[in-house]
């Protein structure tokens, strides 16, 4: 593709490159540049790509897209005001604007995004749609699964994935849209038929610094969609909607809204309720426990309704949907009189929710195994400790993804939330040993909740992802016991 075609729609501040140059591909990592590619210099939060323009040129870049012209005047460049937004536009141009060929649905919020995408995908596929899914667990093109490096890919990779979905015949895309992606313009230029807001609770403050900034990041989605499906009960909703320019459909499991729940029944293996919309009343059952699943079901049904699926039709599909991996997932423990669950709970609110759910059906003790991620918001660590003390009968504090922090230092930040409580706890730094400890000390009717890893099958230590699948750990230990 010619450079001028790739740059269509961008305001160019200055140009030294030949606009007729044929561009083979786009790269924003100078270490991976190949001959004939366009190198996009991104101004990152930790690394500024402009420092590596000379390196990219030496590797064969045909031209550079940048915010600051190169010091070497011989390097052909195109200057723009914002290279991140430019990368998104270039990606859409390069792959032929694939998102415009499909119905786009974006889901944002602290908790519930992954579950919402899977449930909505099931409903749309029951109608005969071929659905692309993008999210935390994995990416999917219909039934084909693809690995996911992050919740929302970088803009050029995202457009490439959209193109792959379009070319495979997808008619709809349901995707998690992270606050990072919205702030860093990974979804810049993407317009959504529907945007969904699940909730907002403390998380990612290492990046956003304040809850207000975190909320404002989420709000960007609702300036770029036709209809917003909004949690009416969330206290951040009024701020979220201040700058919204979309139609709004509200839902709530606790109060008045366009779609609400009544007559809720919470059981050990499901939730049931009546979905109410005006005079319409539809019984709903979903085979995943927890009050939070009512909100998840309501936001899915509201979104499906916007896309033309009646509530009754959605309810029929939800009754058949299996568990989502890593969300209140039961781990087989044949011959044992205790239960083990795996859940992705890694924020204060999600930990509170899953422990409250388990408390509601556990015949014995609720045993919470948890830690906190390294290089992330430290202020939530004592909160997680306090919530574990309040919601569990016994807590085991261990390592999550320590990244570049020492596990003992992370645990030391958690413990003040547990100290002084009546809930007994144990520190077992090694996560494998911690899981084995829980299994050794579980009694009849106890429920062990392995919190934080969920769908992940690795542990991130330093900058390395080491294989760790909690399902395998449990199965292996049962074999030797």
């Amino acid at each position: 593709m010619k450079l001028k075609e790739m740059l269509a729609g961008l305001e160019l501040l200055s140009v030294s490159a030949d606009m007729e140059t044929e561009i083979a591909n786009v790269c924003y990592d100078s270490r991976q540049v190949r001959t004939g590619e366009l190198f996009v210099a991104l101004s990152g939060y930790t690394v500024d790509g402009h420092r590596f323009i000379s390196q990219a040129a030496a590797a064969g870049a045909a031209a550079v897209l940048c915010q600051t012209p190169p010091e070497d005047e011989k390097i052909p460049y195109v200057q723009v005001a914002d290279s991140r937004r430019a990368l998104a536009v270039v990606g859409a141009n390069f792959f032929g604007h694939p998102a415009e060929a499909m119905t786009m649905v974006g889901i944002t919020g602290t908790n519930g995004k992954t579950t919402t995408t899977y449930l909505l995908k099931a409903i749309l596929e029951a109608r005969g749609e071929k659905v692309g899914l993008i999210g935390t667990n994995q990416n999917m093109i219909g039934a084909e699964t693809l690995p996911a490096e992050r919740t929302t890919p970088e803009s050029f990779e995202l457009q490439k994935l959209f193109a792959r979905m379009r070319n495979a015949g997808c008619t709809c895309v349901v995707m998690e849209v992270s606050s990072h992606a919205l702030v860093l313009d990974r979804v810049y230029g993407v317009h959504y038929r529907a945007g969904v807001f699940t909730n907002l609770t403390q998380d990612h403050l290492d990046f956003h610094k304040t809850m207000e900034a975190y909320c404002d990041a989420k709000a960007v989605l609702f300036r770029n969609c036709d209809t917003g499906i909004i949690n009416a009960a969330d206290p951040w909703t009024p701020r979220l909607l201040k700058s919204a320019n979309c139609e709004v459909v509200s839902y709530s499991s606790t109060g008045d809204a366009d779609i609400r729940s009544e007559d809720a029944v919470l059981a050990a293996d499901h939730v049931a309720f009546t979905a109410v919309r005006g005079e319409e009343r539809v019984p709903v059952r979903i085979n995943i426990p927890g009050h939070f699943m009512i909100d998840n079901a309501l936001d899915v049904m509201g979104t499906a309704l916007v896309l033309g699926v009646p509530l009754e039709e959605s309810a029929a599909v939800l009754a058949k949907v299996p568990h989502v991996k890593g969300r209140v997932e039961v781990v087989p423990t044949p011959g044992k009189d205790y239960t083990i669950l795996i859940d992705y709970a890694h924020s204060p609110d999600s930990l509170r929710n899953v422990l409250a759910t388990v408390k509601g059906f556990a015949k014995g003790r609720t045993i919470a195994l948890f830690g906190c991620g390294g290089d992330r918001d430290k202020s939530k660590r004592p909160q997680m400790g306090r919530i574990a003390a309040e919601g569990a009968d016994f807590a085991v504090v261990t390592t999550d993804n320590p990244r570049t922090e020492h596990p003992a230092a992370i645990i030391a930040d958690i413990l003040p939330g547990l100290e002084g409580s009546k809930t007994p706890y144990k520190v077992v730094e090694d996560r494998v040993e911690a899981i084995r400890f829980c299994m050794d000390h579980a009694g009849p009717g106890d429920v062990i909740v392995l919190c934080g890893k969920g769908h992940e099958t690795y542990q991130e230590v330093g900058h390395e992802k080491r294989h760790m699948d909690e399902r395998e750990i449990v199965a292996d230990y049962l074999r030797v016991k």
Side-chain angles (χ1 to χ4, degrees):
M1 179 179 283
K2 293 185 184 296
L3 181 59
K4 67 179 181 182
E5 295 170 337
M6 297 183 72
L7 302 176
L10 287 175
E11 181 181 350
L12 308 182
L13 302 182
S14 63
V15 177
S16 73
D18 181 354
M19 298 294 277
E20 297 296 321
T21 302
E22 285 287 343
I23 301 295
N25 200 1
V26 174
C27 189
Y28 47 89
D29 185 338
S30 60
R31 297 166 296 182
Q32 299 178 13
V33 171
R34 295 183 179 181
T35 301
E37 294 184 338
L38 174 68
F39 174 66
V40 182
L42 300 179
S43 296
Y45 279 76
T46 56
V47 178
D48 187 350
H50 290 78
R51 292 168 45 198
F52 305 102
I53 287 176
S54 295
Q55 182 179 328
V64 172
L65 184 62
C66 53
Q67 293 175 201
T68 304
E71 293 182 3
D72 185 347
E73 296 180 358
K74 295 179 182 178
I75 297 176
Y77 74 88
V78 177
Q79 183 187 10
V80 293
D82 189 323
S83 55
R84 283 194 173 275
R85 291 190 172 186
L87 178 63
V89 173
V90 165
N93 289 337
F94 190 72
F95 293 106
H97 299 274
E100 295 177 6
M102 300 176 287
T103 300
M104 305 296 296
V105 180
I107 297 98
T108 198
T110 306
N111 303 312
K113 298 188 296 296
T114 298
T115 301
T116 296
T117 58
Y118 279 88
L119 297 181
L120 184 58
K121 183 175 187 286
I123 289 171
L124 295 174
E125 287 179 338
R127 289 209 128 200
E129 305 279 1
K130 185 168 183 177
V131 181
L133 179 146
I134 300 172
T136 306
N137 279 17
Q138 60 190 1
N139 300 323
M140 300 183 73
I141 301 176
E144 179 187 2
T145 61
L146 308 169
E149 289 296 318
R150 50 163 65 115
T151 298
T152 313
E154 186 55 80
S155 60
F156 189 79
E157 310 309 321
L158 183 63
Q159 292 293 337
K160 183 178 182 179
L161 185 55
F162 286 159
R164 188 169 172 180
M165 291 174 171
R166 175 199 59 195
N167 296 345
C170 289
T171 53
C172 301
V173 174
V174 294
M175 62 179 292
E176 298 181 47
V177 185
S178 68
S179 55
H180 291 70
L182 290 160
V183 168
L184 298 175
D185 289 315
R186 293 178 194 154
V187 293
Y188 180 76
V190 179
H191 188 78
Y192 295 90
R193 173 66 185 87
V196 183
F197 172 59
T198 60
N199 50 55
L200 196 77
T201 60
Q202 184 175 336
D203 204 6
H204 305 306
L205 295 192
D206 54 301
F207 181 80
H208 296 290
K209 307 306 179 188
T210 67
M211 286 297 294
E212 288 75 16
Y214 184 26
C215 179
D216 294 345
K218 299 291 189 187
V220 173
L221 179 63
F222 302 96
R223 298 197 292 271
N224 295 286
C225 69
D226 295 329
T227 305
I229 296 85
I230 304 294
N231 185 345
D234 193 280
W236 290 96
T237 290
R239 183 182 182 100
L240 186 91
L241 292 178
K242 270 187 178 180
S243 61
N245 52 15
C246 59
E247 295 183 1
V248 172
V249 173
S250 62
Y251 69 91
S252 176
S253 63
T254 58
D256 192 35
D258 296 323
I259 303 172
R260 68 184 192 277
S261 65
E262 292 182 359
D263 308 323
V265 176
L266 307 179
D269 61 350
H270 73 276
V271 295
F273 62 94
T274 301
V276 180
R277 175 175 173 258
E279 299 301 314
E280 186 179 9
R281 301 177 65 85
V282 177
V284 181
R285 174 184 168 124
I286 185 163
N287 298 314
I288 305 174
H291 188 276
F292 58 90
M293 278 307 306
I294 299 176
D295 281 318
N296 286 344
L298 288 172
D299 71 36
V300 167
M301 295 176 77
T303 307
L305 189 66
V306 168
L307 300 179
V309 184
L311 296 181
E312 190 171 354
E313 188 175 323
S314 292
V317 177
L318 292 178
K320 302 173 184 177
V321 173
H323 268 67
V324 177
K325 185 177 181 180
R327 272 62 180 177
V328 202
E329 176 187 348
V330 178
V331 182
T333 53
K336 297 298 179 181
D337 52 9
Y338 56 78
T339 301
I340 298 180
L341 302 176
I342 290 177
D343 194 85
Y344 190 48
H346 64 286
S347 67
D349 190 59
S350 59
L351 182 62
R352 180 184 296 108
N353 286 339
V354 74
L355 294 181
T357 295
V358 174
K359 271 280 195 177
F361 64 77
K363 295 178 181 178
R365 297 176 301 165
T366 297
I367 301 173
L369 179 149
F370 75 104
C372 290
D375 303 333
R376 298 294 186 267
D377 178 14
K378 293 185 178 183
S379 68
K380 74 178 184 182
R381 293 174 184 174
Q383 292 185 51
M384 297 277 281
R386 176 178 53 78
I387 289 166
E390 294 171 350
D393 299 302
F394 188 84
V396 177
V397 186
T398 188
T399 302
D400 193 282
N401 290 319
R403 302 184 178 91
T404 65
E405 286 193 70
H406 195 286
I410 299 172
I411 291 170
D413 288 340
I414 295 171
L415 293 182
L418 283 154
E419 290 166 357
S421 74
K422 295 181 180 179
T423 302
Y425 66 90
K426 174 81 171 177
V427 173
V428 183
E429 185 175 306
D430 182 274
R431 194 173 182 98
V432 175
E433 292 302 320
I435 293 171
R436 293 171 177 171
F437 175 87
C438 290
M439 295 170 69
D440 285 341
H441 292 83
D446 288 353
V447 180
I448 302 167
V449 193
L450 308 181
C451 303
K453 300 296 293 173
H455 61 282
E456 294 177 353
T457 56
Y458 61 84
Q459 186 173 55
E460 195 171 349
V461 181
H463 299 289
E464 177 188 358
K465 288 184 177 180
R466 302 175 183 175
H467 181 76
M468 175 186 282
D469 188 330
E470 295 184 326
R471 300 152 195 82
E472 295 175 2
I473 294 168
V474 170
D476 290 345
Y477 198 53
L478 287 175
R479 274 194 290 270
V480 301
K481 293 294 284 186

